[in-house]
């Protein structure tokens, strides 16, 4: 082990000098909250999403909350979602007063199990909220057909897949509502931030109200509040970063793809390990998540992560099964209900993947994995 090697972070943003200059310009402009930069970012994103109405907010989590509100989902309603996703899907469904109805996912693609979705539909079901994972995507044809058949809304959690294509259409450019994240570990960043892509200007106007206190302006220049809105508007400082990131997105994704190809080439053979799927030609790679059969490997995930850290390699866990969290259990769910989500929760490790990495960094990760498992 060579401890003098620099740390390979699990994720890391790529911010150039021009971005720093633009941020400085906004800071000096005296208009630092939502303004012209935010509007410009929304326009540029919309162009990427087939011209669909797009709004930016302070996070994907905020975008999900607002999406549920736009769909008028609340107490008494059910939203079917995967037990394997980031906490925000569950949290936002609960936050608007609805019930998350969990179903399992596929073990390899991690996509929500659509047969289980259909079986879980009740008269109270209002929406399906799936998460897309890199390497595959939720089958959009089947998902949209199912939603149409049962007259359900679809809120795609596309936080991880900006720049991915389903057949020849970019995720976000078709379907119902989609939400994206610009957290620093996503495909592009605005520091914190997110976007929501909608069906109509009418829905976009609702988002304008819901993300800013529920305020509407009256003809006499006073304000009214029509709904208990939140405070989720993105600042122009963040939007300036996004405006520099978006034109670089294709280059970022190309680099990520090269790094992932190297992972697929160099990953050591480990009986029982499951690598991500590599099913679709035009897709973005936000994370490289591997399932390690820790019970057979005679070490715990914590021991493995600590050993990788000793090699200067940081890792993440994506994600803990939602139904086994304290909140999930308080909703009546129990361990054992969704075996694939639970196995992923127990065995997954997210390896470093970001634009500033080199192919040699990927080699270092693969060699460290092999060396630790050989001891
Ligand atoms: C799959 C997924 N959905 C949603 C989110 C929430 O994104 P944000 O941090 O922008 O709220 C995350 C964040 O990591 C995520 O991984």
């Amino acid at each position: 082990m060579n401890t003098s090697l620099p740390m390979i972070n699990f994720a890391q943003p790529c911010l150039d000098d021009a971005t720093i200059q633009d941020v400085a310009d906004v800071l000096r402009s005296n208009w630092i909250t939502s303004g012209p930069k935010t509007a410009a970012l929304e326009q540029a994103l919309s162009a990427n999403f087939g011209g669909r109405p797009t709004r930016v907010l302070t996070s994907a989590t905020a975008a999900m909350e607002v999406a549920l509100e736009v769909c008028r989902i609340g107490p008494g309603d059910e939203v079917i979602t995967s037990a394997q996703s980031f906490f925000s899907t569950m949290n936002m469904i609960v936050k608007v007063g609805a019930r998350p109805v969990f179903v399992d996912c596929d073990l390899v693609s991690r996509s929500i199990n659509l047969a289980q979705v259909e079986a879980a539909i009740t008269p109270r079901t209002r929406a399906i909220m799936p998460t897309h994972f890199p390497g595959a995507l939720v089958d959009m044809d089947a998902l949209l057909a199912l939603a149409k058949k049962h007259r359900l809304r679809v809120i795609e959690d596309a936080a991880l897949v900006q720049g991915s294509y389903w057949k020849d259409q970019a995720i976000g450019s078709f379907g119902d509502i989609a939400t994206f994240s610009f957290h620093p570990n996503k495909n592009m960043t605005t520091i914190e931030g997110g976007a929501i892509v909608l069906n109509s200007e009418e829905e976009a106007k609702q988002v304008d109200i819901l993300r800013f206190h529920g305020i509407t302006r009256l003809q006499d220049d006073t304000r009214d509040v029509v709904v208990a809105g939140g405070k989720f508007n993105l600042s122009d400082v963040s939007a300036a970063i996004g405006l520099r990131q978006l034109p670089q997105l294709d280059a970022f994704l190309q680099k990520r793809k090269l790094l992932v190809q190297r992972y697929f080439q160099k990953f050591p053979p480990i009986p029982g390990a499951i690598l991500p799927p590599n099913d679709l030609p035009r897709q973005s790679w936000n994370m490289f998540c591997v399932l390690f059969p820790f019970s057979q490997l005679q070490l715990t995930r914590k021991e493995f992560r600590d050993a990788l850290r000793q090699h200067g390699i940081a890792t993440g866990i994506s994600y803990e099964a939602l139904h086994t969290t304290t909140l999930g259990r308080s909703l009546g769910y129990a361990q054992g209900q969704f075996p694939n989500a639970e196995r992923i929760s127990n065995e997954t490790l997210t390896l470093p993947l970001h634009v500033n990495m080199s192919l040699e960094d990927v080699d270092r990760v693969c060699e460290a994995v092999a060396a630790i498992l050989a001891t």
Side-chain angles (χ1 to χ4, degrees), residues 56-75:
V56 291
L57 298 97
T58 43
S59 66
T61 305
M64 287 176 185
E65 181 173 346
V66 165
L68 289 158
E69 289 172 343
V70 166
C71 296
R72 303 199 192 290
I73 290 169

Side-chain angles (χ1 to χ4, degrees), residues 13 34 51 53 72 82 194 202 206 260 277 283 309 313 344 365:
S34 305
R72 303 199 192 290
S82 176
E202 166 56 32
Q206 286 181 52
V260 163
Q283 61 179 309
R309 186 163 277 280
I313 294 162
I344 293 167
V365 176

Side-chain angles (χ1 to χ4, degrees), residues 40-117:
L41 180 59
E42 288 177 342
Q43 262 195 350
L45 285 166
S46 171
N48 273 27
F49 298 130
R52 300 180 84 209
T54 303
R55 293 293 185 268
V56 291
L57 298 97
T58 43
S59 66
T61 305
M64 287 176 185
E65 181 173 346
V66 165
L68 289 158
E69 289 172 343
V70 166
C71 296
R72 303 199 192 290
I73 290 169
D77 295 333
E78 294 177 352
V79 178
I80 304 178
T81 193
S82 176
Q84 179 50 237
S85 180
F86 186 61
F87 307 116
S88 349
T89 49
M90 168 177 69
N91 286 353
M92 293 307 103
I93 295 166
V94 172
K95 199 144 181 254
V96 298
R99 178 175 174 76
V101 174
F102 293 120
V103 297
D104 211 351
C105 63
D106 182 79
L107 186 63
V108 180
S109 72
R110 304 181 182 209
S111 292
I112 194 167
N113 181 321
L114 290 175
Q116 289 188 17
V117 170

Side-chain angles (χ1 to χ4, degrees), residues 15 19 23 189-191 236-246:
L15 300 166
T19 308
V23 167
T189 191
T190 58
I191 309 180
D236 262 21
V237 177
S238 280
I241 298 172
L243 281 168
R244 281 282 176 193
Q245 291 267 296
L246 190 57

Side-chain angles (χ1 to χ4, degrees), residues 58-64 85-89 131-133 157-160 179-186 191-195 286-287 318-319:
T58 43
S59 66
T61 305
M64 287 176 185
S85 180
F86 186 61
F87 307 116
S88 349
T89 49
T131 295
H132 292 292
F133 286 84
D157 170 10
L160 303 172
T179 58
F180 293 86
S181 173
F182 305 138
H183 182 271
N185 67 17
K186 297 301 186 292
I191 309 180
E192 298 292 346
N286 182 254
M287 301 193 297
S318 320
Y319 302 100

Side-chain angles (χ1 to χ4, degrees), residues 321 323-324 334-347:
H323 66 292
T324 61
Q335 190 84 30
Q337 275 188 285
F338 306 112
N340 288 344
E342 288 171 30
R343 180 161 163 204
I344 293 167
S345 177
N346 293 330
E347 296 188 353

Side-chain angles (χ1 to χ4, degrees), residues 1 23 35 60 73 120 139 160 180 200 222 226 247 289 302 315 321:
M1 179 186 6
V23 167
I73 290 169
D139 181 332
L160 303 172
F180 293 86
S200 62
T222 62
V226 291
C289 306
K302 167 111 180 55
T315 56

Side-chain angles (χ1 to χ4, degrees), residues 112-227:
I112 194 167
N113 181 321
L114 290 175
Q116 289 188 17
V117 170
E118 186 153 32
I121 293 171
T122 74
R124 288 181 298 282
T125 309
R126 298 286 318 283
I128 309 168
M129 206 167 171
T131 295
H132 292 292
F133 286 84
L137 284 174
V138 177
D139 181 332
M140 288 302 292
D141 299 333
L143 171 68
L144 295 175
L146 184 63
K148 192 170 174 200
K149 180 175 159 195
H150 294 276
R151 294 167 173 266
L152 301 175
R153 298 299 303 257
V154 173
I155 301 169
E156 284 168 73
D157 170 10
L160 303 172
V161 296
Q162 188 181 5
S164 281
Y165 280 71
W166 173 254
K167 300 190 174 160
D168 57 354
Q169 288 179 290
I171 287 294
S173 71
F174 68 107
D176 191 353
I177 292 181
T179 58
F180 293 86
S181 173
F182 305 138
H183 182 271
N185 67 17
K186 297 301 186 292
N187 292 345
M188 62 166 262
T189 191
T190 58
I191 309 180
E192 298 292 346
I196 181 168
V197 187
L198 302 132
N199 294 293
S200 62
E201 286 305 328
E202 166 56 32
E203 282 186 351
K205 280 202 190 91
Q206 286 181 52
V207 173
D208 291 340
I209 293 169
L210 287 162
R211 73 177 168 182
F212 197 71
H213 308 288
I215 290 174
T216 56
R217 287 182 187 276
L218 302 177
Q219 277 186 344
D220 67 355
D221 257 4
T222 62
R223 293 166 295 177
D224 187 21
V225 169
V226 291
V227 62

